[in-house]
Tab-separated table of all heavy atoms in Angstrom:
chain	number	residue	atom	x	y	z
A	160	LEU	N	-17.417	-3.150	10.926
A	160	LEU	CA	-16.591	-2.502	11.946
A	160	LEU	C	-17.155	-2.761	13.326
A	160	LEU	O	-16.413	-3.153	14.253
A	160	LEU	CB	-16.530	-1.008	11.654
A	160	LEU	CG	-15.660	-0.189	12.627
A	160	LEU	CD1	-14.210	-0.663	12.561
A	160	LEU	CD2	-15.757	1.306	12.301
A	161	ALA	N	-18.458	-2.568	13.510
A	161	ALA	CA	-19.077	-2.809	14.805
A	161	ALA	C	-19.025	-4.281	15.210
A	161	ALA	O	-18.730	-4.609	16.353
A	161	ALA	CB	-20.528	-2.325	14.791
A	164	LEU	N	-15.398	-5.352	16.294
A	164	LEU	CA	-15.047	-4.877	17.647
A	164	LEU	C	-15.762	-5.723	18.697
A	164	LEU	O	-15.170	-6.094	19.727
A	164	LEU	CB	-15.404	-3.400	17.798
A	164	LEU	CG	-15.062	-2.765	19.153
A	164	LEU	CD1	-13.557	-2.853	19.393
A	164	LEU	CD2	-15.512	-1.306	19.183
A	176	PHE	N	-5.860	-3.120	23.573
A	176	PHE	CA	-6.137	-2.624	22.245
A	176	PHE	C	-5.439	-1.309	21.976
A	176	PHE	O	-4.796	-1.106	20.910
A	176	PHE	CB	-7.644	-2.490	22.041
A	176	PHE	CG	-8.016	-1.569	20.876
A	176	PHE	CD1	-7.570	-1.849	19.584
A	176	PHE	CD2	-8.790	-0.429	21.071
A	176	PHE	CE1	-7.894	-1.025	18.524
A	176	PHE	CE2	-9.121	0.401	20.016
A	176	PHE	CZ	-8.671	0.093	18.719
A	189	ALA	N	-12.746	-0.846	25.195
A	189	ALA	CA	-13.026	-0.088	23.961
A	189	ALA	C	-14.444	-0.331	23.501
A	189	ALA	O	-15.138	0.586	23.029
A	189	ALA	CB	-12.029	-0.484	22.883
A	193	SER	N	-17.395	2.606	23.301
A	193	SER	CA	-18.109	2.865	22.033
A	193	SER	C	-19.605	2.607	22.175
A	193	SER	O	-20.404	3.270	21.503
A	193	SER	CB	-17.527	2.023	20.906
A	193	SER	OG	-17.635	0.653	21.178
A	196	ALA	N	-21.017	5.821	23.575
A	196	ALA	CA	-21.111	6.824	22.532
A	196	ALA	C	-22.242	6.521	21.577
A	196	ALA	O	-22.977	7.429	21.148
A	196	ALA	CB	-19.782	6.927	21.808
A	197	ALA	N	-22.421	5.249	21.231
A	197	ALA	CA	-23.516	4.869	20.338
A	197	ALA	C	-24.873	5.220	20.915
A	197	ALA	O	-25.754	5.727	20.218
A	197	ALA	CB	-23.443	3.381	20.022
A	272	PHE	N	-11.652	10.075	19.827
A	272	PHE	CA	-11.913	10.003	18.393
A	272	PHE	C	-12.426	8.606	18.034
A	272	PHE	O	-13.419	8.457	17.278
A	272	PHE	CB	-10.648	10.348	17.615
A	272	PHE	CG	-10.853	10.444	16.116
A	272	PHE	CD1	-10.817	11.675	15.496
A	272	PHE	CD2	-11.065	9.324	15.334
A	272	PHE	CE1	-10.951	11.820	14.118
A	272	PHE	CE2	-11.235	9.420	13.965
A	272	PHE	CZ	-11.183	10.658	13.364
A	273	LEU	N	-11.749	7.587	18.561
A	273	LEU	CA	-12.125	6.199	18.229
A	273	LEU	C	-13.470	5.823	18.829
A	273	LEU	O	-14.293	5.191	18.150
A	273	LEU	CB	-11.032	5.251	18.720
A	273	LEU	CG	-9.620	5.469	18.164
A	273	LEU	CD1	-8.672	4.410	18.693
A	273	LEU	CD2	-9.634	5.470	16.648
A	274	TRP	N	-13.736	6.200	20.077
A	274	TRP	CA	-14.999	5.825	20.681
A	274	TRP	C	-16.170	6.442	19.936
A	274	TRP	O	-17.206	5.780	19.689
A	274	TRP	CB	-15.078	6.236	22.149
A	274	TRP	CG	-13.882	5.952	23.028
A	274	TRP	CD1	-13.451	6.661	24.093
A	274	TRP	CD2	-12.945	4.833	22.907
A	274	TRP	NE1	-12.342	6.112	24.641
A	274	TRP	CE2	-12.012	4.982	23.968
A	274	TRP	CE3	-12.848	3.779	22.041
A	274	TRP	CZ2	-10.965	4.085	24.118
A	274	TRP	CZ3	-11.763	2.890	22.212
A	274	TRP	CH2	-10.866	3.027	23.218
A	275	LEU	N	-16.013	7.703	19.531
A	275	LEU	CA	-17.094	8.363	18.777
A	275	LEU	C	-17.244	7.756	17.398
A	275	LEU	O	-18.378	7.616	16.890
A	275	LEU	CB	-16.826	9.856	18.682
A	275	LEU	CG	-16.816	10.614	20.042
A	275	LEU	CD1	-16.441	12.087	19.845
A	275	LEU	CD2	-18.164	10.511	20.733
A	276	TRP	N	-16.150	7.454	16.738
A	276	TRP	CA	-16.214	6.825	15.401
A	276	TRP	C	-16.922	5.461	15.491
A	276	TRP	O	-17.850	5.202	14.728
A	276	TRP	CB	-14.799	6.688	14.869
A	276	TRP	CG	-14.669	5.907	13.595
A	276	TRP	CD1	-15.665	5.624	12.682
A	276	TRP	CD2	-13.478	5.275	13.115
A	276	TRP	NE1	-15.158	4.886	11.655
A	276	TRP	CE2	-13.834	4.652	11.895
A	276	TRP	CE3	-12.183	5.155	13.588
A	276	TRP	CZ2	-12.900	3.925	11.139
A	276	TRP	CZ3	-11.256	4.485	12.812
A	276	TRP	CH2	-11.614	3.882	11.628
A	277	PHE	N	-16.481	4.632	16.444
A	277	PHE	CA	-17.098	3.329	16.586
A	277	PHE	C	-18.544	3.465	17.039
A	277	PHE	O	-19.402	2.658	16.593
A	277	PHE	CB	-16.337	2.489	17.624
A	277	PHE	CG	-14.922	2.232	17.250
A	277	PHE	CD1	-13.968	1.883	18.230
A	277	PHE	CD2	-14.452	2.326	15.945
A	277	PHE	CE1	-12.652	1.626	17.904
A	277	PHE	CE2	-13.108	2.073	15.623
A	277	PHE	CZ	-12.256	1.730	16.586
A	278	GLY	N	-18.828	4.443	17.875
A	278	GLY	CA	-20.213	4.652	18.295
A	278	GLY	C	-21.114	5.072	17.141
A	278	GLY	O	-22.259	4.605	17.057
A	279	LEU	N	-20.630	5.904	16.254
A	279	LEU	CA	-21.417	6.273	15.093
A	279	LEU	C	-21.699	5.051	14.217
A	279	LEU	O	-22.815	4.917	13.679
A	279	LEU	CB	-20.667	7.346	14.271
A	279	LEU	CG	-20.609	8.745	14.881
A	279	LEU	CD1	-19.680	9.641	14.079
A	279	LEU	CD2	-22.014	9.377	14.894
A	280	ALA	N	-20.702	4.203	14.042
A	280	ALA	CA	-20.901	2.984	13.277
A	280	ALA	C	-21.945	2.079	13.886
A	280	ALA	O	-22.801	1.545	13.189
A	280	ALA	CB	-19.592	2.246	13.105
A	281	LYS	N	-21.923	1.945	15.201
A	281	LYS	CA	-22.881	1.082	15.889
A	281	LYS	C	-24.276	1.698	15.840
A	281	LYS	O	-25.291	0.983	15.861
A	281	LYS	CB	-22.458	0.866	17.329
A	281	LYS	CG	-21.207	-0.016	17.481
A	281	LYS	CD	-20.933	-0.272	18.962
A	281	LYS	CE	-19.746	-1.235	19.087
A	281	LYS	NZ	-19.452	-1.590	20.467
A	282	ALA	N	-24.386	3.019	15.797
A	282	ALA	CA	-25.684	3.687	15.756
A	282	ALA	C	-26.266	3.814	14.374
A	282	ALA	O	-27.350	4.364	14.193
A	282	ALA	CB	-25.561	5.060	16.389
A	431	ILE	N	-5.874	1.845	12.296
A	431	ILE	CA	-6.797	1.377	13.309
A	431	ILE	C	-7.602	0.175	12.826
A	431	ILE	O	-7.652	-0.856	13.493
A	431	ILE	CB	-7.763	2.510	13.707
A	431	ILE	CG1	-6.987	3.673	14.334
A	431	ILE	CG2	-8.827	2.001	14.696
A	431	ILE	CD1	-6.210	3.317	15.591
A	432	VAL	N	-8.228	0.278	11.664
A	432	VAL	CA	-9.018	-0.842	11.158
A	432	VAL	C	-8.121	-2.042	10.856
A	432	VAL	O	-8.482	-3.213	11.125
A	432	VAL	CB	-9.796	-0.423	9.898
A	432	VAL	CG1	-10.549	-1.627	9.332
A	432	VAL	CG2	-10.770	0.700	10.227
A	435	LEU	N	-7.522	-3.750	14.099
A	435	LEU	CA	-8.674	-4.544	14.481
A	435	LEU	C	-8.726	-5.856	13.704
A	435	LEU	O	-9.217	-6.877	14.217
A	435	LEU	CB	-9.965	-3.737	14.284
A	435	LEU	CG	-10.200	-2.529	15.173
A	435	LEU	CD1	-11.428	-1.792	14.743
A	435	LEU	CD2	-10.356	-2.995	16.615
Side-chain angles (χ1 to χ4, degrees):
L160 182 61
L164 182 60
F176 162 58
S193 60
F272 186 108
L273 301 183
W274 314 150
L275 296 176
W276 173 20
F277 299 159
L279 288 171
K281 291 184 175 183
I431 298 299
V432 176
L435 290 174

